[in-house]
Amino acid sequence: MRTSNYAGSIVAAHIDELNIPEIVSTLAGINNIMIICQSDNDADIVLQAFKAISE
């Protein structure tokens, strides 16, 4: 996931606080976030959820 500059860690912290069961962890950079899921199915669930939010 990409963010605006210097927002990666802030957005990742908010994602972590949501306690989404399919997300194992997040790793943030300056303007990007890697979301780690345990399985491909979990990753697909998270992807679809974020797509729905962004529409």
Side-chain angles (χ1 to χ4, degrees):
M1 175 183 293
R2 294 196 54 86
T3 69
S4 57
N5 285 338
Y6 304 100
S9 61
I10 295 167
V11 174
H14 285 293
I15 291 170
D16 289 340
E17 289 173 359
L18 294 172
N19 293 316
I20 298 169
E22 291 83 10
I23 296 177
V24 174
S25 185
T26 59
L27 179 63
I30 291 173
N31 65 350
N32 56 54
I33 302 166
M34 181 171 66
I35 298 173
I36 302 165
C37 300
Q38 189 165 346
S39 70
D40 289 343
N41 187 52
D42 286 350
D44 195 40
I45 291 169
V46 171
L47 177 62
Q48 296 308 317
F50 279 107
K51 281 184 177 181
I53 290 169
S54 67
E55 294 177 347

